[in-house]
Amino acid sequence: MRTLKSIFNFYLDASIHVALAVISLTGVTFYLLDASFDTALLGFIFFGVIVCYNFVKYGVEAYKYLVVSNDYHRIIQMFSFLSFGLAFYFLIQLDREIWVAIGIMTLLSALYAVPLLPKAKNLRNLGGFKIYIVALVWAGFTVFLPVLDTKNPLQWDIWILFVQRFILVVVLILPFEIRDLQWDDARLRTLPQVLGVEKTKKIGVALTLIFFFLTFLRDGVSQSEILLRLILCIAMIYVLLASKKMQSRYFASFWVEAIPILWLSLYWAVENYF
């Protein structure tokens, strides 16, 4: 059991779980576009997310990312370097048109962690910006990249999907901000810090309802898609209202980030069995 727990902790700490969540959202987009999965794009996003998240968590300052004294973190560091190589391998298989979009979002991700602005260490430390930067990058990677990859035009439905994805990620981040309320620097000005936990939960529920009803603004929506989004919204509201479980180590890190994986699994089940 101790070995299994160590493997599971590494799975979470090395950002493998969050990477699966991101490519699950990308997979949902491929389903919505009625397109085949692009292994190269999914591979790049998966390993790229591992590199970015581990850099933000363990190496916000470059020298810390290169000089690691902790053995456990050194293993994560080596895994991250391997992931970087694999991300590059998949990147060179993608069309060059996609490289520009990847470059823009990668720059935004770098600004999130690297101190380039004079009056703030990084974009993450700009009061109130953190949640929106993360949501914007996630939405860009999981919506725009599949659209560019499949050469679909940026029509009305795509923009609705992008707004929905942005809202979805914002809602999924809220349980983490509630969990980290007692540790976050007050200068981050997260929603729980500014509005309190209860108001943050109400905003999360309201955003979830907006996410759901935006579905009906799309030009083409199937009954199965409406049902799957309803199930997704129920899961999102549940994690928002689960106050006592919020402080559990694994509740946010595993169960909340598993929601996109559940969503993709439901699409796969509908596609193959119904």
Side-chain angles (χ1 to χ4, degrees), residues 8-26:
F8 182 68
N9 286 336
F10 178 82
Y11 169 76
L12 296 178
D13 294 339
S15 305
I16 299 172
H17 189 57
V18 68
L20 284 176
V22 176
I23 65 166
S24 293
L25 291 178
T26 310

Side-chain angles (χ1 to χ4, degrees), residues 36 47 61-62 104 110 113 116 129 157 173 184 238 258 270:
S36 300
F47 291 109
E61 298 177 31
I104 293 172
L116 295 179
F129 271 76
D157 280 7
I173 293 173
D184 277 340
Y238 171 76
V270 169

